[in-house]
Amino acid sequence: MNQKKWFNATQPQTLQFACILLYLNAAFGVFYFIAGSPLEIISVVGAGAAYGIANDRRWGWYLGLGVSIVNFLLAFIVGLNFYGLISLMFRGLLVVLLLHPMTRSYQKLWFK
C-alpha cells in the first residue's frame, strides 16, 4: 500500500530541511498574502512542492526549485534592509539545499 506523506524522514537531510522550509515559507506566504502582498502567493505554491518532494516526485523537486528561485529573486529585488536580508538568506538557503549534490543525486536515483 502506497501511503501519501507530508514529510519523509528517509530522505537526505538536505531534502528534509528543504521540505520544512518550503512549508514554512508557504505558511508565512499565506499571512503576507492576507496582509496585502500579492506576490507571496508564489510561496504558497511551495507547499505543493514540498508535498511532492516528500512523496518522491520529480515534479515536486522542479516546482520547489522554481518557487525558491523566484522567491529569492523577488526578495533580492524588493530591498536589502535588515528583515529583507534575513529573508534573502533563508530563501537563498532553500535554493542551495535543493541544488546540493546530495539532493541532486537522490532525486535522480529515487524520484519518479
Side-chain angles (χ1 to χ4, degrees), residues 14-26 42-43 46-47 49-50 53 61 63-72 86-100 103:
T14 53
L15 275 175
Q16 291 177 13
F17 291 140
C19 279
I20 291 169
L21 283 177
L22 282 167
Y23 284 133
L24 285 174
N25 280 344
I42 296 167
S43 297
I53 290 172
W61 182 78
L63 183 62
L65 185 61
V67 165
S68 64
I69 289 173
V70 168
N71 276 336
F72 178 77
I86 292 174
S87 175
L88 184 69
M89 287 181 353
F90 276 106
R91 292 171 191 221
L93 175 65
L94 184 55
V95 173
V96 169
L97 287 172
L98 289 171
L99 289 177
H100 192 276
T103 300

Side-chain angles (χ1 to χ4, degrees), residues 72-93:
F72 178 77
L73 292 176
L74 286 174
F76 187 75
I77 291 170
V78 166
L80 292 176
N81 58 14
F82 179 71
Y83 297 111
L85 184 61
I86 292 174
S87 175
L88 184 69
M89 287 181 353
F90 276 106
R91 292 171 191 221
L93 175 65

Side-chain angles (χ1 to χ4, degrees), residues 2-18:
N2 189 6
Q3 288 184 315
K4 299 295 182 186
K5 44 191 140 183
W6 289 97
F7 184 76
N8 190 348
T10 63
Q11 291 178 337
Q13 288 180 346
T14 53
L15 275 175
Q16 291 177 13
F17 291 140

